[in-house]
Amino acid sequence: MTDRPDVLVLRKAAHGMPIEQYAAALRERLPHHEVTLARTPEQEREGIRDAEIVTGMWLTDDLLDEAEALRLFACGYAGTGHLPRERLAQLDVTVTNASGVHGPNIGEHVLGAILAFSRRFHEGFRRQRRNEWRSFETHELQGSTVTVVGLGAIGESTVNRLAGFDVETIGVRYSPEKGGPTDRVVGFEDDDLHDALAETEYLVLACPLTETTQGLIGTSELVTLPPEAVVVNVARGPVLDTDALVTALQRGWIRGASLDVTDPEPLPADHELWDLGNVQITPHNAGHTPEYYGRLADIVASNVRHVTESGEYDGLANQVPL
């Protein structure tokens, strides 16, 4: 057993929830460690000087300048592209992320969006606001094909929640030979992707933003989708070409879109997407869940215990290659 390293929690909160809740969740799971919350820039600068383990949503170069003992940064987000990764690698700092934290809540968000378009709840809401008792046509999810791009924790959670709806599922991933929970798995090659899109009623984007996925769904892909298709984006805005999407929605190339992320983001108040009746927009809100800090603390506390018992800052859960 090694000395118990202290844990420093940085001040930036996630999803509008007080960062104090995260610190409290870590203290509950690590009763024999000192968990310190830095609530001001000065406290961050002072605290990081001697901290071996730091956790938070961001870590700037200026703050790294003050770090003298840092061995592990446990990022509170699943994505780490905003971190100074090259410098962290040079300093031999291990980085972990929050992958898996969002699986249940974003899976539920996607399922809700699909059901809303299937039963056309948005049209029901419009008629309710007008006090209008008049029937409207709807759709059935049963028998549809749902294509999920990205089979990480969020994609897998989405597929699992679709299991009881009698749908055909297609997964799209970098390494299709790995398989997945879907009925079929294809790669990102143009022909394979377009073959899948041609039979897709609901297209779910749940992949990370990379060179491969940036602009993945543009004019050609939207034209390939059937006219009754709905696009659900819980990935990142730039995965879906915004101008092409607007054109597709206006011209009836697809039936609708549910967007939790946009490009640009935040979506400007005068953007035409706001005024399209076949678009559902949420403000990057799918990741919000009251369980966020608890799930994140489970991952981080497990890694802290690993370090305490082994003295090793390698082989950690959610370790990110730098």
Side-chain angles (χ1 to χ4, degrees):
M1 181 80 69
T2 67
D3 292 337
R4 298 187 182 98
D6 295 339
V7 181
L8 176 68
V9 180
L10 302 181
R11 63 194 162 98
K12 187 180 186 304
H15 300 293
M17 297 181 292
I19 195 64
E20 284 81 1
Q21 294 178 7
Y22 179 37
L26 282 172
R27 291 183 184 118
E28 180 181 343
R29 289 158 175 80
L30 296 169
H32 302 299
H33 292 75
E34 183 71 25
V35 177
T36 302
L37 173 60
R39 287 297 288 114
T40 68
E42 181 180 7
Q43 289 175 0
E44 287 184 337
R45 290 192 298 270
E46 291 179 354
I48 204 171
R49 287 184 187 128
D50 301 318
E52 285 188 35
I53 300 176
V54 176
T55 182
M57 308 304 148
W58 62 12
L59 182 63
T60 63
D61 275 308
D62 288 345
L63 202 52
L64 266 179
D65 287 340
E66 305 293 332
E68 299 176 4
L70 183 61
R71 300 290 306 281
L72 168 64
F73 179 68
C75 183
Y77 293 137
T80 58
H82 63 294
L83 300 178
R85 292 168 55 112
E86 289 187 10
R87 188 165 178 209
L88 286 165
Q90 291 170 357
L91 294 172
D92 197 26
V93 175
T94 299
V95 175
T96 62
N97 67 11
S99 178
V101 168
H102 286 309
N105 45 294
I106 297 186
E108 291 176 5
H109 181 100
V110 171
L111 184 59
I114 289 174
L115 289 172
F117 271 94
S118 176
R119 302 308 300 166
R120 295 190 68 204
F121 288 141
H122 52 292
E123 179 59 30
F125 293 150
R126 278 196 290 268
R127 297 189 188 204
Q128 179 180 346
R129 285 195 297 269
R130 297 194 296 260
N131 301 336
E132 181 181 352
W133 185 276
R134 185 166 59 90
S135 182
F136 54 91
E137 293 183 355
T138 64
H139 305 264
E140 276 195 5
L141 177 57
Q142 178 176 276
S144 299
T145 296
V146 182
T147 295
V148 180
V149 181
L151 292 179
I154 294 170
E156 184 169 342
S157 176
T158 298
V159 174
N160 289 341
R161 281 156 177 74
L162 287 166
F165 287 90
D166 194 19
V167 297
E168 178 80 9
T169 55
I170 303 173
V172 182
R173 68 185 311 171
Y174 292 108
S175 304
E177 66 276 5
K178 292 182 178 179
T182 50
D183 296 309
R184 286 186 286 150
V185 180
V186 301
F188 282 95
E189 292 79 9
D190 287 344
D191 289 343
D192 290 343
L193 178 61
H194 279 260
D195 285 345
L197 295 178
E199 53 182 298
T200 297
E201 280 87 15
Y202 295 93
L203 173 63
V204 179
L205 305 177
C207 53
L209 179 62
T210 66
E211 290 183 1
T212 300
T213 62
Q214 183 161 359
L216 178 71
I217 305 301
T219 297
S220 179
E221 291 72 28
L222 292 167
V223 169
T224 300
L225 285 166
E228 67 271 20
V230 173
V231 178
V232 181
N233 191 5
V234 291
R236 288 292 183 268
V239 173
L240 178 59
D241 186 297
T242 300
D243 291 339
L245 175 65
V246 170
T247 299
L249 292 165
Q250 291 174 334
R251 298 184 181 179
W253 296 351
I254 60 173
R255 178 157 58 95
S258 176
L259 308 174
D260 188 58
V261 290
T262 59
D263 182 25
E265 187 175 308
L267 191 66
D270 60 351
H271 199 283
E272 51 197 325
L273 277 172
W274 289 111
D275 298 321
L276 295 178
N278 53 350
V279 179
Q280 176 196 61
I281 298 173
T282 48
H284 209 141
N285 209 61
H288 185 278
T289 169
E291 305 301 324
Y292 185 89
Y293 285 142
R295 292 181 188 142
L296 176 59
D298 285 340
I299 296 169
V300 175
S302 175
N303 283 335
V304 172
R305 287 191 290 268
H306 171 86
V307 168
T308 301
E309 293 168 3
S310 69
E312 298 292 331
Y313 284 88
D314 200 11
L316 302 180
N318 285 15
Q319 188 166 333
V320 177
L322 297 177

